[in-house]
Amino acid sequence: MLISIDEKAVTWFAGEFEYTRPFSVRLFPQYAGFGEKHKGYSLAFSIETPSNSGFSQEVNGMNFYIEENDLWFFEDTETYLSVDDFLKELHVTYKDVNFVN
């Protein structure tokens, strides 16, 4: 599992939620939409304090985290968060990682 959050995405989160740093952004699967990674699920996020974090990553004073029970959505996957320059919206891409034993 890899979560990559570029500077444009960090700036987008800071502007979208209008919070002063530090704050925590929860990344989680939401049953809605068509979902690129898992059919019927899309990536959602909210400003919350972690309760049982299974993964966390600090980027420029923001803590991005995934709760333990949501890790299944990100397993064997590289997740990239950036901003679409044309739409000025968050853009998420996934790359499956197939491990060979």
Side-chain angles (χ1 to χ4, degrees):
M1 172 174 57
L2 167 81
I3 308 290
S4 175
I5 305 156
D6 72 13
E7 282 296 320
K8 290 179 182 180
V10 171
T11 300
W12 184 89
F13 277 104
E16 189 73 15
F17 292 105
E18 298 180 7
Y19 277 76
T20 56
R21 296 175 191 169
F23 66 89
S24 294
V25 178
R26 178 182 175 200
L27 306 173
F28 62 96
Q30 178 177 333
Y31 188 71
F34 296 98
E36 190 177 319
K37 167 92 176 111
H38 294 284
K39 188 174 183 170
Y41 289 89
S42 58
L43 181 62
F45 39 83
S46 62
I47 304 301
E48 296 180 37
T49 301
S51 61
N52 189 22
S53 179
F55 172 87
S56 67
Q57 179 178 343
E58 190 273 329
V59 182
N60 292 344
M62 289 185 210
N63 178 42
F64 294 86
Y65 74 96
I66 302 166
E67 291 289 348
E68 186 75 33
N69 62 333
D70 293 329
L71 288 175
W72 63 269
F73 184 80
F74 301 92
E75 288 176 343
D76 301 330
T77 304
E78 294 177 358
T79 305
Y80 300 92
L81 281 70
S82 189
V83 171
D84 181 302
D85 289 327
F86 180 73
L87 298 174
K88 305 294 187 217
E89 289 292 330
L90 189 67
H91 180 71
V92 181
T93 55
Y94 305 98
K95 179 181 175 189
D96 285 333
V97 178
N98 296 318
F99 296 100
V100 178
N101 292 333

